[in-house]
Amino acid sequence: MLTVDAETFDITGPLAHYAEHGYARLGRLLSAEGLEALRERADDLMMGRVSYPGFFWQMDAPTGRYEDAPLGLGWQGPSLDYRKLEKLEKDPRFLAWMENPLFERLARASIPGDITLYRAILFHKGQRGGSELPWHQDGGKLWGLTKDPELQLWTALDDAPLDGGCVEVVPGSHRWGLATPLGGVVPPDQVAARGADSLAVPLPVEAGEVLLLHNYVWHRSKPSRTGQRRRGFSACYMSADTRCVRKKKAPRDFFPLFRRASR
């Protein structure tokens, strides 16, 4: 599925940029064949042609407002209007991509010891444009972990141009720490105080490109205005020493990805 040699691809520059700015571009890494396989499977899942026990679904909000996205409904029948699909590690095609040897090199450069998966998730903006995702961080008490992960690899399954729902970041914002102990959406007063809108850097991508994202970097995406779909696949890697500390439900077990002796 890779377009590059996993052993010789230079990761030093991207990792340095990621450490300083909270994000980095890796270029087009997913082959045309791999891209088609993941697109096909994403639609198979949305349309119910393929299913897995324990899968997570979230429909998009008809209003396009993030806060209106329905919670707790799960599968609502075949539709290309799902906003989010989670637990993609259950699917062999998506699992093969997140376990590719280049991603393992990148993860091992940042995470000591055994490595597990926090989540594997597809974010989808349909032909109507999808919802706006406000400035947020992926961590805090909301995530219910002993230590917040830092590393995400985000793969574009469709083109995401400037007006097509591309990811935007505030460079260096990962060094500010959490905006709130809870994490998640950054409060409007902090967005204004930091001047986040004026600092925003859009990251338009072509299908098959991959981004490195730090969990704490402020990031958002606007609705797509192109009339084209935008699918982005995000895998979040973390140390196997990390534990779930949530109280309301049974603690989560995390999917093992890379063992110390695997390479």
Side-chain angles (χ1 to χ4, degrees):
M1 300 174 85
L2 283 167
T3 62
V4 299
D5 185 279
E7 299 300 326
T8 61
F9 183 83
D10 179 25
I11 64 173
T12 305
L15 285 174
H17 195 279
Y18 159 81
E20 181 176 356
H21 301 287
Y23 75 96
R25 290 180 174 274
L26 293 172
R28 182 166 184 172
L29 301 181
L30 180 58
S31 69
E33 294 80 7
L35 185 61
E36 181 57 32
L38 295 189
R39 284 173 168 170
E40 179 183 64
R41 184 50 49 86
D43 286 357
D44 285 343
L45 290 162
M46 289 189 191
M47 298 304 293
R49 293 187 289 264
V50 174
S51 63
Y52 301 102
F55 210 71
F56 176 90
W57 310 86
Q58 185 186 37
M59 270 290 186
D60 215 337
T63 62
R65 290 166 51 88
Y66 170 77
E67 55 268 34
D68 292 341
L71 300 176
L73 298 182
W75 172 253
Q76 296 295 294
S79 175
L80 295 180
D81 286 325
Y82 285 101
R83 171 183 174 266
K84 188 161 66 172
L85 283 64
E86 196 168 346
K87 296 192 177 296
L88 284 162
E89 68 273 17
K90 292 176 175 287
D91 182 80
R93 295 188 190 181
F94 280 98
L95 180 61
W97 177 238
M98 73 180 81
E99 285 187 324
N100 78 69
L102 178 55
F103 283 13
E104 180 174 0
R105 279 186 67 207
L106 289 160
R108 290 196 180 282
S110 305
I111 304 169
D114 292 345
I115 296 170
T116 56
L117 178 78
Y118 176 74
R119 69 180 187 186
I121 187 168
L122 185 83
F123 293 104
H124 177 239
K125 297 181 188 289
Q127 287 185 314
R128 293 183 296 179
S131 297
E132 180 170 4
L133 182 59
W135 290 117
H136 67 285
Q137 296 174 294
D138 294 329
K141 291 181 180 178
L142 188 68
W143 280 43
L145 301 172
T146 52
K147 181 181 179 182
D148 286 334
E150 296 184 353
L151 180 69
Q152 297 184 58
L153 284 154
W154 193 97
T155 304
L157 301 190
D158 300 292
D159 294 347
L162 286 173
D163 59 349
C166 68
V167 173
E168 299 181 39
V169 298
V170 176
S173 54
H174 63 303
R175 298 196 298 269
W176 301 342
L178 285 170
T180 67
L182 184 64
V185 175
V186 179
D189 61 336
Q190 293 202 41
V191 171
R194 291 284 190 178
D197 292 346
S198 64
L199 297 174
V201 171
L203 302 176
V205 290
E206 295 182 356
E209 286 193 61
V210 177
L211 302 173
L212 273 175
L213 294 175
H214 192 289
N215 281 44
Y216 280 7
V217 76
W218 292 20
H219 54 294
R220 70 178 180 184
S221 64
K222 298 175 182 177
S224 174
R225 305 301 184 192
T226 64
Q228 304 297 318
R229 300 171 66 195
R230 194 227 71 174
R231 288 163 288 186
F233 171 60
S234 174
C236 179
Y237 301 78
M238 66 183 187
S239 168
D241 293 336
T242 306
R243 295 290 178 263
C244 178
V245 294
R246 70 184 184 184
K247 304 296 184 182
K248 291 186 178 180
K249 298 180 181 178
R252 288 178 57 186
D253 292 321
F254 298 106
F255 190 86
L257 287 175
F258 306 126
R259 303 286 190 185
R260 288 183 183 89
S262 65
R263 293 185 64 76

